[in-house]
Amino acid sequence: LADLAARRATGDIPRLLLSVLFLYVGVAHLLLYRTRRGSVEYFWFSLAALLMAGHTFLRTQFRFVFGEHFILYKELEYACIYVLTPVLVEFFAVFLALPRPWWLRAYQASHLLLLLTVALTPGLAINWVVLPFWNAWVLPVLIGIPFRVIQAFRRGRREAGLILVGVVVLAVAFGTDVAITQRLIQGPGFVGGYGFGLFAIFLGAAMADRFGHLQSQVDSLNQNLEAQVRVRTLQLEDARFAAEAANRAKTAFLGNM
């Protein structure tokens, strides 16, 4: 048993490293949010990354370093994934400036209600009942988010192109996990974790492109403002010279009188 546990722990090292990467991404974006309180999308993405960090770590054997609490760890693992869906919906709504009608709020609340139901029910039996329902209930997100990103790209959101690639990867990865869980296909599972990692890379590139575009706009506005200030200064100088010339002409005229 010890050898088996050691082999499984060794096989979980990639997941452990992935959870550390998600933790770093989450903390980094949380710090960015502290310096840019107006950019709420940093907060929601940091929360999504931290949830994925917790979910990924709880899928490894390294969780038992903190004690033999299997049921607690599984409860936390499911909690992370239940909360992740409404958090991702909120992130995309903020980042792409999408409207959030009442039915979307109700959809997000349903996932939190699902979490509350599972959390207040002792044991894991309710999780086995709820999980197939959640697998089906997450499908609107896997389909709807890529559709919304395509719409944003058509409206001229240049960063939406990079996000679309990451979203498609993420949707396919999570969809594959759902299919494996439902035993529709066979596979190793946890494809969604690696899909989220690739999504984070594309999202980081999109955010960098967005920030660079905004910075270039700010620089252009500053240059235009400086040019307008120079023109206005020259106009004021010309007006001052004209006023002084008129004043001298008036003084000379009065002197001749």
Side-chain angles (χ1 to χ4, degrees):
L1 291 178
D3 292 341
L4 178 61
R7 286 197 297 271
R8 291 193 62 181
T10 302
D12 284 339
I13 288 178
R15 293 185 185 182
L16 177 64
L17 296 176
L18 198 60
S19 68
V20 173
L21 174 62
F22 292 156
L23 178 63
Y24 170 77
V25 170
V27 173
H29 282 80
L30 191 59
L31 293 176
L32 283 173
Y33 171 67
R34 287 189 61 187
T35 59
R36 303 171 187 172
R37 289 302 179 94
S39 301
V40 188
E41 60 268 26
Y42 285 113
F43 170 77
W44 289 112
F45 183 69
S46 70
L47 185 55
L50 293 174
L51 287 169
M52 276 303 300
H55 176 72
T56 304
F57 179 77
L58 291 168
R59 293 286 298 269
T60 70
Q61 296 299 309
F62 293 98
R63 60 189 171 177
F64 294 114
V65 172
F66 299 98
E68 299 288 337
H69 308 290
F70 176 78
I71 294 179
L72 174 61
Y73 297 150
K74 293 302 290 185
E75 292 275 9
L76 292 174
E77 176 189 329
Y78 288 124
C80 289
I81 204 68
Y82 291 152
V83 178
L84 180 63
T85 303
V87 168
L88 282 176
V89 170
E90 189 67 18
F91 163 75
F92 281 107
V94 172
F95 189 72
L96 298 175
L98 299 175
R100 279 159 283 183
W102 67 268
W103 55 264
L104 183 60
R105 291 299 192 190
Y107 177 79
Q108 292 175 285
S110 68
H111 285 269
L112 300 179
L113 182 62
L114 189 65
L115 168 66
L116 186 62
T117 302
V118 171
L120 295 178
T121 306
L124 296 176
I126 187 65
N127 287 282
W128 310 130
V129 175
V130 166
L131 191 58
F133 168 76
W134 180 84
N135 286 333
W137 196 226
V138 79
L139 288 177
V141 173
L142 300 180
I143 298 172
I145 288 180
F147 177 74
R148 286 294 191 176
V149 174
I150 291 174
Q151 286 184 325
F153 181 72
R154 288 179 175 176
R155 289 198 305 267
R157 295 291 298 270
R158 50 181 290 166
E159 71 274 13
L162 285 171
I163 295 178
L164 179 60
V165 179
V167 165
V168 170
V169 171
L170 181 65
V172 171
F174 273 99
T176 302
D177 269 350
V178 169
I180 292 173
T181 303
Q182 295 298 109
R183 298 182 180 179
L184 300 176
I185 60 175
Q186 293 183 349
F190 196 67
V191 182
Y194 299 104
F196 188 86
L198 292 174
F199 165 71
I201 293 174
F202 284 106
L203 181 63
M207 284 185 169
D209 179 72
R210 180 182 183 182
F211 180 77
H213 181 61
L214 291 175
Q215 188 64 42
S216 65
Q217 287 181 330
V218 170
D219 292 340
S220 178
L221 289 173
N222 288 335
Q223 291 174 1
N224 290 335
L225 181 60
E226 291 174 358
Q228 291 176 4
V229 169
R230 286 194 297 269
V231 170
R232 185 57 179 164
T233 300
L234 292 174
Q235 291 175 344
L236 291 174
E237 287 289 334
D238 291 341
R240 184 174 64 85
F241 291 147
E244 290 177 351
N247 189 47
R248 287 194 298 268
K250 178 182 179 181
T251 301
F253 175 74
L254 292 175
N256 293 331
M257 291 292 291

